[in-house]
Amino acid sequence: MSPEDVGNIRQTLALFAHVFDNKEVADLGLVFTEDAVIELTRGAGRTIEGLAAIGELAVGLGADAPDHHTLDTHVSVDADGTVRARSRYLAILPDGSVHNGDYLDVLERTPGGWRIGRRVSVPRYPRAAENTG
């Protein structure tokens, strides 16, 4: 993986918070693939499939949605060529409280650049049994 690829991946991940939190649905394709999947593991959990559904999620969160921050990204490549990024996130809520966790992303190189094909959002607290250790 070239330094340029890593930089472009980090740009894509940084763009997520701006596009998602500002409900710029038309620009979600700059962050996610058309068939992207987001798996939210906080609380009861939920899976969102496809760019249109991700847009609906962003808009549906309303004005009191968390303010997301993506931090400390590490990019790696598996033996089979799968490109992964692990980032820490902070989500600031309207009352000033914060929740945090990890974004576990699988990225794809598209004609338009690097995009997230799959994102799993894993909260740090409370820790799920399978995430401890």
Side-chain angles (χ1 to χ4, degrees):
M1 170 118 338
S2 74
E4 182 179 4
D5 282 328
V6 172
N8 289 335
I9 288 168
R10 288 182 182 200
Q11 285 288 95
T12 297
L13 299 177
L15 187 58
F16 161 76
H18 299 283
V19 171
F20 190 85
D21 290 353
N22 292 316
K23 300 167 187 3
E24 296 169 356
V25 176
D27 289 335
L28 285 170
L30 298 173
V31 177
F32 295 100
T33 62
E34 188 69 35
D35 61 348
V37 174
I38 297 177
E39 183 181 343
L40 303 173
T41 64
R42 185 167 191 216
R46 142 180 205 197
T47 300
I48 298 91
E49 298 182 27
L51 202 53
I54 294 169
E56 290 172 13
L57 173 66
V59 171
L61 290 175
D64 289 337
D67 182 43
H68 295 90
H69 301 267
T70 305
L71 311 159
D72 301 330
T73 297
H74 177 265
V75 178
S76 63
V77 182
D78 293 351
D80 68 359
T82 301
V83 177
R84 297 181 186 275
R86 181 178 186 148
S87 305
R88 195 54 64 97
Y89 74 79
L90 295 175
I92 302 171
L93 304 176
D95 66 3
S97 64
V98 176
H99 68 83
N100 66 329
D102 292 316
Y103 290 139
L104 308 175
D105 295 322
V106 174
L107 291 114
E108 299 176 21
R109 187 191 307 263
T110 72
W114 288 98
R115 303 293 184 263
I116 301 169
R118 180 170 186 83
R119 167 167 279 184
V120 179
S121 178
V122 181
R124 294 279 294 168
Y125 307 108
R127 286 184 177 240
E130 65 274 8
N131 296 326
T132 60

